[in-house]
Amino acid sequence: GAGPDTFFLIGKEGTPENTNEDTTAILAHPFEGRHYEYRNQDAPILKSASNEDVTLILPENIKVSDIKWLSVYDRKFDVDFGNLMVPADIQLPGTSEPEPKTTGTCKKVKIGNISTLHHAVSGELYALDDKTLMVKNFNYDGAGPDTFFLIGKEGTPENTNEDTTAILAHPFEGRHYEYRNQDALILKAASNENVTLTLPENIKVSDIKWLSVYDRKFAVDMGNLMFPADIQLPGTSEPEPKTTGTCKKVKIGDISTLHHAVSGELFALDDKTLYLKNFDYDGAGPDTFFLIGKEGTPENTNEDTTAILAHLFEGRHYEYRNQDAPILKSASNEDVTLILPKNIKVSDIKWLSVYDRKFDVDFGNLMVPADIQLPGTSEPEPKTTGTCKKVKIGDISTLHHAVSGELFALDDKTLYLKNFDYDGAGPDTFFLIGKEGTPENTNEDTTAILAHPFEGRHYE
């Protein structure tokens, strides 16, 4: 951020330091609906950034295919701070004649989110191919004295065979490490960092059962992700048969709201994994957890046919009377993954409850239908529309009040905002969409307010 007159600059000919100004354009960030020519002194100056995702909007008279180069350029000192020369044969999304891609290696497949157990660890884990993982938006406070990325082929981070584990060094300098190797690089603090992890020759992504940010000195798992068994890697030619075609998760139903603002949508990912979307709970119960049962109802059942599903899951399951079971914390629109014990499958479950043991109260439940069709089973209900797929539109820019989020389209009538942040300080703030112009320069008659929470009513 030290440049006094710096911005994103694109050009249609030459190079950043040798071009015709009339063939250039300043790409403002953040974009507020206006484009600028090179000599326009109103162009906003680029601020400092750290691992920021930036969307740049081109002027109407320039297409990506017209661009020869992009530069972070300082006009006052006439200096190119960093550039990229755009290849002439770049293949844009949606064009009719893509370059042949037989391996599909450029695609990434999301495995899941790393749980936050200690030291602010978090991140989204993707597979780039069968030998490469990527952690997106990785966070870690750096306080562990002997911490690294650890993967395992069996068990869990806290209960495994060391011989089936490997340390994934970051940054990667061409060397892999076994668990007891004291030369392994210690992981440094990170804030929304994108990390690429390279696997040893003897391990493929499909071999991995879990990944952990692990501290060897204290034998503590700071955050982990358990890998699904049927992950489909980019570029593989024969995916596991999926006869449902349209989605990997099957909705079971909505959890009823009985007490303490409990709500959420329950899905089955497979016969051993439940997924709770947009889970809400005020956290006020003193001895509350997710409880499942194989018979009866939450308030009238045999304890021996129940099990506590721990969240966050640390590799351990609990019986109803086990006092070590972790207490459920408050949640607001949280996505929760629940792992079933070995002796229980989704098809065995009759009900799920957010249950408080101290007061013997069901805060909210869902009775599981007997004929639920799980992902990958042979006779799915016909699904012709594929509505469970979501398509990412882009990231919301952060202009004021810590606003951010990822915007997806679920279908032609539904938008989905993931990881939405906003400090709530605006006195008359809402989601607004428009069919023309920009947010600050539009025709009000072409706009609409999208209410949240939605209670069946739309607003001009």
Side-chain angles (χ1 to χ4, degrees), residues 57-73:
I57 308 298
L58 302 190
E60 289 187 4
N61 65 328
I62 300 180
K63 298 180 293 183
V64 171
S65 53
D66 297 328
I67 301 173
K68 189 165 183 181
W69 50 264
L70 177 143
S71 168
V72 178
Y73 200 86

Side-chain angles (χ1 to χ4, degrees), residues 88-138:
D89 60 351
I90 183 173
Q91 183 60 44
L92 298 174
T95 51
S96 57
E97 293 295 329
E99 293 297 308
K101 293 195 181 291
T102 57
T103 62
T105 54
C106 64
K107 289 184 178 180
K108 60 180 184 284
V109 172
K110 185 168 182 178
I111 300 172
N113 295 326
I114 297 175
S115 62
T116 304
L117 302 179
H118 306 284
H119 294 289
V121 165
S122 67
E124 302 171 70
L125 187 64
Y126 294 82
L128 302 188
D129 54 42
D130 207 26
K131 298 299 293 181
T132 315
L133 297 172
M134 183 185 80
V135 185
K136 184 178 177 183
N137 297 329
F138 176 60

